[in-house]
Amino acid sequence: LLNILPEETAQELKESGVVKANKFQSVTVLFTDFVAFTAHSEEVGPEVLVNRLGDYFTAFDEIIEKYGLEKIKTVGDSYMCAGGLPFPIKDHAVKMVHGALEILKVVEEAKADRKGSGLAFDIRIGINTGPVVAGVVGSKKFSYDIWGDTVNVASRMESMSESGRINISEFTYELVKNEFNCTYRGEFEVKNRGKMKMYFVKGPHSKKGHQL
């Protein structure tokens, strides 16, 4: 259970057999997606592809754990995680952006060292912050998941990002702008939300002396 659920959630499930859904007022959600993954998948054998994905996701897992964030799930070649649950923390947005920068670094290093596997990808990353509902679904294969408009917008941030870039919403930007250099992209039409301001993260402010 501890491999698929947060420890407190697993304990609640063991003790009562069910897990109450919880609402969190401020959570930062990240989505990644490998660019042109389908095209790559048609060029190599399934075993090579799965092993390579495993290498990437294992590295992502280590980064997420390092910053005290929570992996939610992978869907195909997409990776999803959140910060600020199952326990609320104040700086989840900052930690998530630091994690996203390290994820980018892993991907760029893999591209530079293609001799190792012969297979490397580009990646898009999207981040958004807001309220979510979290809980466990299923009775056989348990799944800890999150729902809400915040999650949908985070997914849109990813799909509207660019290769090798971290695209964040205005909600996340307001929480991280004192820590990171960001470039304002403008307002873009987002499905079911109208126009939203978006920003690309360039990196930490140099005055912090923290360069990833």
Side-chain angles (χ1 to χ4, degrees):
L1 280 178
L2 293 178
N3 280 332
I4 57 175
L5 301 175
E7 184 175 354
E8 296 72 22
T9 305
Q11 191 63 37
E12 183 180 352
L13 187 63
K14 282 176 62 179
E15 292 174 356
S16 64
V18 294
V19 176
K20 293 179 181 177
N22 291 308
K23 183 164 186 179
F24 296 86
Q25 292 300 325
S26 184
V27 169
T28 299
V29 182
L30 173 146
F31 279 90
T32 74
D33 194 59
F34 289 114
V35 179
F37 179 81
T38 302
H40 281 291
S41 67
E42 294 171 352
E43 299 172 357
V44 299
E47 187 174 346
V48 173
L49 189 70
V50 171
N51 287 341
R52 195 63 180 128
L53 265 184
D55 291 340
Y56 280 110
F57 287 162
T58 297
F60 296 179
D61 287 348
E62 291 174 356
I63 293 167
I64 295 311
E65 185 175 359
K66 170 183 174 181
Y67 286 102
L69 307 168
E70 191 71 36
K71 178 181 179 180
I72 303 299
K73 60 185 174 184
T74 59
V75 180
D77 64 306
S78 178
Y79 187 98
M80 176 187 180
C81 61
L85 53 75
F87 294 116
I89 54 176
K90 288 183 179 180
D91 57 350
H92 51 80
V94 170
K95 288 182 175 179
M96 187 64 80
V97 173
H98 276 307
L101 286 166
E102 291 200 18
I103 285 174
L104 268 187
K105 185 178 178 182
V106 164
V107 172
E108 290 303 314
E109 288 176 349
K111 284 171 59 182
D113 186 32
R114 294 184 66 146
K115 296 176 184 177
S117 69
L119 185 64
F121 301 103
D122 288 307
I123 198 170
R124 286 190 309 262
I125 299 176
I127 301 175
N128 181 43
T129 304
V132 305
V133 173
V136 174
V137 292
S139 58
K140 297 294 183 183
K141 294 183 178 180
F142 299 109
S143 173
Y144 183 78
D145 211 343
I146 57 177
W147 299 269
D149 191 52
T150 296
V151 179
N152 297 334
V153 170
S155 179
R156 300 279 180 238
M157 292 300 113
E158 177 275 307
S159 63
M160 300 180 76
S161 186
E162 295 177 1
S163 178
R165 308 297 287 271
I166 301 166
N167 186 39
I168 65 174
S169 68
E170 183 179 13
F171 305 113
T172 302
Y173 170 75
E174 289 298 329
L175 296 174
V176 305
K177 62 184 180 182
N178 293 329
E179 295 281 337
F180 300 96
N181 289 313
C182 300
T183 302
Y184 178 55
R185 299 182 64 192
E187 289 187 307
F188 294 83
E189 194 71 31
V190 176
K191 186 178 179 182
N192 300 326
R193 283 299 303 263
K195 288 191 173 183
M196 296 189 71
K197 293 179 180 178
M198 299 182 194
Y199 300 78
F200 279 141
V201 178
K202 296 179 67 177
H205 286 309
S206 57
K207 67 178 181 180
K208 298 294 181 182
H210 185 105
Q211 206 70 39
L212 295 178

